[in-house]
Amino acid sequence: MVATEVRDVTGVLERLATERSGVIGVPPGLVVTPDATWTPATELLRQPYTLLGELVDQTAARWNAPRHVGAALFWKTYGYWHTLPMALAWALGGPIPVMPLAETYFKVSEAGVTIGASRVRWGSGPEAIREALEESQAPLVRVLSGMAKVGERTLWGSTAEAFAHPLTLIEPGDYMALLREIGRPVDGLVEPAGDAYFRRTCCLWVTLPDVEPCGSCCVLKPRPGSA
C-alpha cells in the first residue's frame, strides 16, 4: 500500500512542478542522494546558529526588511515546503511521509529553499504529522524566535497555513479538521472564509514597503459589524 501512496504523492508533486515550471521546494520523490550542493538540516541547529543566521540575514536583505521580518519570511518558505508532502499525503488518505531531522537536507533554490531526505519514514495520520512537527520544526521555531525576536505563534501560523493552502488549492481536504487533530501549536491559527481562509497571525510580509498583503492576511479579515 505504501508504494501506491508514494506514487500518489509523487504524482501530485510532479503535477505541481509542471505547473510551476519546475520551481518547487521538494523533489517529487522526496528522497535525494546528498552531494556537495545539499546541506544537512541539522546544521541549522548547530550553535551558535551561524548558518541559520546567514539565511535569515540574506532573506532580510533580499526584501530590505528588518531581521525579525527576514526570519518570518524565511520560515514561511522553509516551513511550507517541509509541511507540504505531509498535508498532501493526509488529503490522499495514505501514509504520511516524514523526513527525519537527521536525514533531512536543504539547498537554496528558485523556490526559496528545496528540502529532501536521504530516507523517508512512513507514519499514520495526524499523530505522525504532530511528531514530525515536534522533531523537525519545533527546534527551528524556537531558535528563530530567540535569534530574531519574532513570536513563535507568528512562525507556527505559517506552518498552519502550509496545511490550509495546499488543501484549499492543490488537493482538497478538510484542513480545519486536520489542524484540530494535530492540535497545538498549529490548531486555531487559521479560519475558513467561504472557499478560502484567513490567518490569525501575520507572516509579516505586509510590513514591507510597497507590497500588497497576502490574500490570507489577517489584516484583510472583515471586522465584526463592518459593512
Side-chain angles (χ1 to χ4, degrees):
M1 183 172 77
V2 169
T4 299
E5 297 301 339
V6 171
R7 287 196 297 270
D8 287 344
V9 173
T10 296
V12 174
L13 292 174
E14 287 175 340
R15 185 188 76 207
L16 183 63
T18 298
E19 292 171 353
R20 293 172 59 95
S21 300
V23 181
I24 182 174
V26 286
L30 303 182
V31 176
V32 299
T33 300
D35 58 22
T37 68
W38 294 93
T39 300
T42 52
E43 289 297 310
L44 296 173
L45 294 169
R46 185 184 297 276
Q47 296 187 41
Y49 312 116
T50 302
L51 177 57
L52 184 59
E54 289 174 352
L55 292 169
V56 167
D57 290 340
Q58 288 168 14
T59 305
R62 177 185 178 188
W63 299 111
N64 192 27
R67 198 172 197 230
H68 72 286
V69 177
L73 296 180
F74 170 77
W75 181 251
K76 185 175 183 178
T77 299
Y78 188 100
Y80 182 85
W81 294 119
H82 183 267
T83 301
L84 178 67
M86 298 187 289
L88 294 176
W90 180 84
L92 291 165
I96 306 300
V98 175
M99 300 181 191
L101 178 61
E103 295 171 85
T104 298
Y105 294 79
F106 77 95
K107 62 172 69 176
V108 176
S109 70
E110 288 185 86
V113 66
T114 296
I115 302 170
S118 57
R119 180 183 67 87
V120 171
R121 182 176 75 233
W122 295 90
S124 177
E127 181 178 354
I129 297 174
R130 184 186 315 116
E131 292 173 355
L133 297 182
E134 179 59 31
E135 176 189 8
S136 296
Q137 293 197 19
L140 283 167
V141 166
R142 287 192 290 267
V143 172
L144 280 170
S145 178
M147 170 191 293
K149 309 304 180 188
V150 58
E152 290 190 20
R153 190 170 184 269
T154 292
L155 301 176
W156 283 119
S158 289
T159 296
E161 183 171 26
F163 290 103
H165 179 271
L167 300 189
T168 301
L169 298 176
I170 300 174
E171 190 68 31
D174 188 347
Y175 60 86
M176 290 297 290
L178 175 57
L179 291 171
R180 283 194 298 270
E181 291 184 54
I182 295 172
R184 297 181 64 183
V186 293
D187 185 28
L189 298 184
V190 297
E191 58 184 297
D195 294 331
Y197 62 88
F198 285 114
R199 291 177 56 133
R200 287 181 170 167
T201 65
C202 183
C203 72
L204 303 185
W205 170 260
V206 74
T207 66
L208 300 178
D210 303 318
V211 302
E212 295 293 329
C214 307
S216 61
C217 186
C218 54
V219 304
L220 297 178
K221 179 184 173 184
R223 301 300 181 214
S226 62

